[in-house]
Amino acid sequence: MIPGPPPGVRVWLAAGATDMRRGFDGLARQVQEALGQDPFSGQLFVFRGRRGDLVKALWWDGQGLVLYAK
C-alpha cells in the first residue's frame, strides 16, 4: 500500500497551467524556481494541466519523491 501525505501537511497549488509531460525532476525544478520552495520539505505541491482534466501532485515522503497523477 502506498502511503499518503500525513494529516496537517501544507498544500501548495501552482497557479496557471503546467506542462503535464514533466516528471519528478521537472516538477521539482518548477517548485524551486516558480514557487521558491524546497520540494524535499514534506509539503505537497499540486499542478494542473492546461485543459484542467489532469492534476499531478508531488510529495517527499522521507525516502523519495512521490508523484500522484489523476
Side-chain angles (χ1 to χ4, degrees):
M1 185 169 162
I2 298 173
V9 68
R10 180 172 281 177
V11 178
W12 290 82
L13 299 175
T18 300
D19 183 359
M20 288 290 110
R21 295 175 293 180
R22 292 185 180 186
F24 294 100
D25 296 332
L27 293 175
R29 186 173 43 253
Q30 186 171 349
V31 167
Q32 291 174 331
E33 294 174 359
L35 298 175
Q37 297 295 317
D38 179 14
F40 307 106
S41 63
Q43 300 176 73
L44 183 71
F45 301 95
V46 181
F47 305 90
R48 176 187 173 272
R50 184 180 328 133
R51 293 185 311 191
D53 62 344
L54 184 60
V55 174
K56 286 189 176 180
L58 187 68
W59 173 59
W60 174 260
D61 70 351
Q63 297 179 1
L65 285 171
V66 179
L67 182 63
Y68 299 100
K70 178 68 176 171

